[in-house]
Amino acid sequence: MRLIKSLFGAALTLAAGMGVAQQAQQTSPALVPAPAATSAAGGAIAAPAIDGRRALTKEDADTWLDGFMPYALARGDIPGAVVVIVKDGQVLTQRGFGFSDVAARKPVDPATTLFRPGSVSKLYTWTAVMQLVEQGKIDLDADVNTYLDFKIPAYQGKPLTMRNIMTHTPGFEEAGRDLIVDKGPVASLEAALKRWTPQRVYAPGSTPAYSNYATALAGYIVQRLSGMPFDDYIERNIFQRLGMTHASFRQPLPANLQPFMAKGYQAASTEPKPYELIAMAPAGSSAISGGDMAKFMIAHLADGGPLLKPETAKLMHSPANDPIPGLDRMMLGFYEQKVNGQSAIAHGGDTKWFHSELILFPQEKVGIYISANSAGKDGAISPIRTAFFRQFADRYFPAKDTAVPKELPTAKEHAAMVAGTYENSRAAVENFGAMLGLLSQLKVTTDKDGKLSVDAFTTLGDAPRKWVEVAPFIWRSVEDGELFGAKVENGKVVRVAYGPIAPIMVFDRAPWHKDTAWLMPLLIASLIVIALTALSWPAGAINRRRYGAALALTGRDLSTYRVVRLFCWLALAVPLGWMFLISVAFEGTTPATGIWLLQILGILVIPGLFGLAVWNAVRAFKARRGWFSKTWSVLLALAAFVLLWVAFVFKLISLGANF
């Protein structure tokens, strides 16, 4: 089960590039401590208020952080992190933990050490867009082709709008090739966008499907309408306005900021990695200190501060899309994160080596930010981030009602309706990247008591959640209050979503011909049949040589025997080749030559094997061979057909190096 969930997370991560994959899966053996009961020096901390809510003071926050962060980083093998808390227009506390450079033992300085916030960078892009909306240069509901020098095709006659882009409902399939690379030069924003436009596979506004390409498109529109390069615009209209001197979108990082840049690591115990380069820069290329991120949070909590007019900031922070009513909603750029009755707005971000989270509590005028320079052991940063947010909320904004929710009498009936297999909306659909659908489909089942069960989304301790239906087709986790919901149309469940990621990606019920619930067992069995057939060639030759026996086949039968087994070996090479290519893609480089070779091989070999297997079965019956030979020839033909089916459905038989 852990292997399946790891593959599920890997598929999401590859599709994500930057953003929300870490939030989608919270599986790690890393232990996260409960809130400290004493200060770091051993002294007692202030007693909580009568209602269970502690006063959010620097002293109390520092005490909590001293109990939480050092252990969490050490247990997770994470070198360093920065944490910032702002309140009422001021920095309450900003803390550096661990090292920005492990070998040099250089500590993290919260004021000056730069981390890569990944997709949290999008918030600067969205703020820039709203500045132009404010100036009347952008209409949120106009066709974006009005602002571009190339055309985004309409989908079913419907144009793409900036509102679609900012709510992650543009309808694009996932575009992840070379999103993050280790070596330059990086393509210009214009070149990166015009190289390939992902297919639009959903009607605009209909389906949340997080898109780095669409965000970069928004940044390009800012560049065109402002008449200045995107990096210049952000520096002049955001960074300079807020006095942010340790922040940049530029790649490579400007020379004056390079000494402050934290090194990225796979884990604290490994060697540092090169500076990451982001092709779709507006989607996540910034580097910023914790102290400067505080200035940005304070501005948004102050109704836009010097960045936006209050009415513009209010519009940006208000719900703009509600994929499944009852779950978290999408604002314009921010997404909602409900906790303990509070409606926070947030954005997470992940590059390969840096992992961040920014959360604002507008009603409380409070913001928190955490960023680390490694995912750590077994992805430890994911549960750390989740626990950081939840423990902060539980400590300072606790829930008023902590009773276990009462379950609706429809729980079992509705759970049975929801059970099935679902596809992630954020995925490649019309290119070979669709193969990841084999790994990333979501399985929803019922347990022995008929209750809802979703193995992919577990607790911080990697245990199954216990779901209680608290509203029709809305379930709450007994352990931590997270939500899971379903959308019903014409009496059938067509879509489900997990609360923390519901605003930006959902899961639609897989059509029968792509449902891995039946396809995956058949595919595994088929690959076993093909592998045994391939192995029978050398194994048979070895045995015949050993015992001095001869192969009882001649002429066309002998030629068919050999060619079929050759194609079996080649057919096995195709999925193995794709597995290798995917592993290379995780390292940030995807060679186009390798993609083309595998595609050509797949087009020739997989249909070829099916044709040869059918011909082999025909000859086996015509030659009146033994029952085993006939049976095996039929099994091989069926196995070849299943492989061909999967290859067509998941685009392994296709041409094109873009994904």
Side-chain angles (χ1 to χ4, degrees):
M1 184 59 67
R2 181 178 293 277
L3 174 61
I4 296 299
K5 284 191 285 184
S6 297
L7 291 174
F8 177 86
L12 283 175
T13 302
L14 182 60
M18 296 174 299
V20 295
Q22 294 282 350
Q23 296 164 304
Q25 185 183 16
Q26 300 170 352
T27 57
S28 170
L31 301 177
V32 182
T38 60
S39 70
I45 59 176
I50 294 176
D51 64 356
R53 174 172 175 163
R54 292 183 181 276
L56 179 52
T57 64
K58 174 176 172 53
E59 179 183 11
D60 193 82
D62 284 341
T63 298
W64 170 62
L65 289 172
D66 285 337
F68 180 95
M69 290 300 298
Y71 174 77
L73 296 184
R75 184 67 179 85
D77 197 18
I78 297 170
V82 63
V83 173
V84 179
I85 303 174
V86 301
K87 179 185 178 185
D88 296 329
Q90 302 291 328
V91 175
L92 184 77
T93 189
Q94 56 185 37
R95 304 285 303 280
F97 297 92
F99 301 106
S100 64
D101 185 331
V102 174
R105 311 301 286 176
K106 184 178 180 180
V108 172
D109 183 333
T112 61
T113 301
L114 275 63
F115 283 72
R116 305 296 298 278
S119 285
V120 178
S121 308
K122 288 180 172 67
L123 295 178
Y124 298 109
T125 302
W126 304 136
T127 301
V129 168
M130 294 306 290
Q131 288 176 341
L132 296 184
V133 169
E134 205 170 69
Q135 297 169 26
K137 295 181 178 180
I138 292 178
D139 180 342
L140 290 173
D141 298 307
D143 186 342
V144 295
N145 287 314
T146 306
Y147 312 121
L148 295 171
D149 58 349
F150 67 104
K151 188 174 180 63
I152 302 296
Y155 182 87
Q156 296 178 350
K158 297 179 180 179
L160 175 64
T161 70
M162 186 62 75
R163 190 183 301 275
N164 299 147
I165 291 175
M166 293 188 74
T167 55
H168 286 295
T169 59
F172 287 120
E173 66 175 330
E174 178 62 5
R177 181 184 171 192
D178 298 338
L179 180 64
I180 305 175
V181 297
D182 294 335
K183 297 179 181 179
V186 66
S188 69
L189 176 56
E190 180 178 359
L193 289 168
K194 292 180 178 180
R195 177 179 69 88
W196 173 60
T197 301
Q199 291 286 327
R200 297 182 69 194
V201 294
Y202 308 111
S206 69
T207 303
Y210 191 85
S211 176
N212 288 308
Y213 181 90
T215 307
L217 196 65
Y220 184 58
I221 290 172
V222 169
Q223 178 173 291
R224 283 181 50 77
L225 296 183
S226 67
M228 65 180 73
F230 176 79
D231 294 345
D232 291 351
Y233 181 92
I234 297 296
E235 287 180 359
R236 184 177 303 179
N237 293 283
I238 296 180
F239 295 164
Q240 290 180 14
R241 288 192 195 183
L242 297 179
M244 298 167 65
T245 57
H246 290 79
S248 179
F249 263 88
R250 298 188 183 278
Q251 301 177 108
L253 199 62
N256 66 309
L257 293 179
Q258 289 180 12
F260 302 104
M261 186 65 223
K263 295 184 181 299
Y265 298 82
Q266 184 172 347
S269 55
T270 63
E271 293 298 314
K273 302 295 184 178
Y275 190 80
E276 299 164 283
L277 300 174
I278 315 299
M280 304 288 180
S285 73
S286 75
I288 187 170
S289 71
D292 275 1
M293 189 65 84
K295 298 173 183 177
F296 183 72
M297 289 194 292
I298 289 170
H300 270 278
L301 288 168
D303 298 323
L307 299 179
L308 299 168
K309 294 177 181 178
E311 57 269 27
T312 308
K314 182 179 180 180
L315 175 64
M316 187 177 181
H317 300 163
S318 298
N321 190 44
D322 193 3
I324 295 185
L327 301 188
D328 291 342
R329 300 163 294 181
M330 189 72 202
M331 281 53 180
L332 289 175
F334 287 91
Y335 48 77
E336 187 176 39
Q337 294 278 267
K338 295 189 185 106
V339 60
N340 297 342
Q342 288 273 354
S343 180
I345 58 175
H347 212 295
D350 302 276
T351 68
K352 287 189 294 182
W353 317 127
F354 289 85
H355 307 274
S356 311
E357 195 81 34
L358 180 150
I359 301 169
L360 305 180
F361 297 85
Q363 291 183 341
E364 305 287 345
K365 300 298 181 183
V366 168
I368 58 175
Y369 172 70
I370 182 173
S371 187
N373 56 346
S374 171
K377 180 183 178 182
D378 298 325
I381 191 59
S382 180
I384 288 172
R385 272 170 29 177
T386 301
F388 174 80
F389 168 52
R390 183 158 292 281
Q391 288 192 19
F392 179 88
D394 289 346
R395 190 178 184 91
Y396 300 112
F397 312 129
K400 294 180 180 179
D401 183 7
T402 58
V404 175
K406 185 177 180 180
E407 189 163 56
L408 298 184
T410 55
K412 291 184 180 181
E413 176 191 352
H414 288 173
M417 291 175 63
V418 172
T421 309
Y422 296 83
E423 293 183 300
N424 192 338
S425 64
R426 187 187 181 189
V429 176
E430 298 296 338
N431 61 71
F432 73 90
M435 75 178 76
L436 290 173
L438 280 167
L439 305 177
S440 63
Q441 287 187 1
L442 177 71
K443 303 294 190 299
V444 181
T445 60
T446 55
D447 62 18
K448 60 182 177 60
D449 298 319
K451 302 293 186 68
L452 187 76
S453 178
V454 191
D455 287 344
F457 303 123
T458 57
T459 67
L460 287 174
D462 199 19
R465 281 191 170 97
K466 296 177 182 177
W467 298 100
V468 174
E469 189 179 26
V470 295
F473 294 99
I474 298 293
W475 285 263
R476 180 181 297 168
S477 167
V478 171
E479 295 81 6
D480 53 20
E482 296 290 13
L483 298 176
F484 186 88
K487 182 178 181 179
V488 180
E489 292 181 354
N490 300 320
K492 294 183 178 181
V493 173
V494 297
R495 172 175 291 177
V496 298
Y498 174 54
I501 59 173
I504 50 181
M505 68 173 74
V506 294
F507 298 84
D508 290 330
R509 194 178 286 276
W512 72 270
H513 64 282
K514 295 177 69 176
D515 191 338
T516 56
W518 68 270
L519 264 184
M520 187 61 77
L522 274 181
L523 177 61
I524 292 171
S526 298
L527 289 174
I528 291 173
V529 169
I530 293 170
L532 290 175
T533 305
L535 289 170
S536 70
W537 195 6
I542 292 171
N543 281 332
R544 286 192 297 273
R545 177 173 295 183
R546 180 178 180 182
Y547 296 107
L551 183 61
L553 293 172
T554 60
R556 288 186 177 181
D557 288 335
L558 179 59
S559 298
T560 301
Y561 172 89
R562 290 170 175 170
V563 174
V564 164
R565 280 148 183 79
L566 173 62
F567 268 68
C568 283
W569 281 108
L570 292 173
L572 292 173
V574 172
L576 290 173
W578 283 118
M579 289 174 63
F580 173 75
L581 187 139
I582 290 173
S583 70
V584 171
F586 273 113
E587 296 301 318
T589 56
T590 311
T593 303
I595 294 172
W596 283 107
L597 286 175
L598 281 172
Q599 288 178 334
I600 293 171
L601 185 63
I603 289 172
L604 295 175
V605 169
I606 296 177
L609 175 61
F610 175 63
L612 286 167
V614 171
W615 174 244
N616 177 65
V618 170
R619 294 199 66 84
F621 279 86
K622 282 186 175 181
R624 298 182 180 180
R625 297 179 197 161
W627 68 266
F628 180 82
S629 179
K630 292 177 181 178
T631 302
W632 193 261
S633 69
V634 172
L635 286 176
L636 180 60
L638 291 173
F641 175 74
V642 171
L643 182 60
L644 182 63
W645 180 285
V646 170
F648 269 114
V649 167
F650 292 99
K651 306 301 180 182
L652 286 176
I653 295 180
S654 62
L655 287 174
N658 293 313
F659 70 97

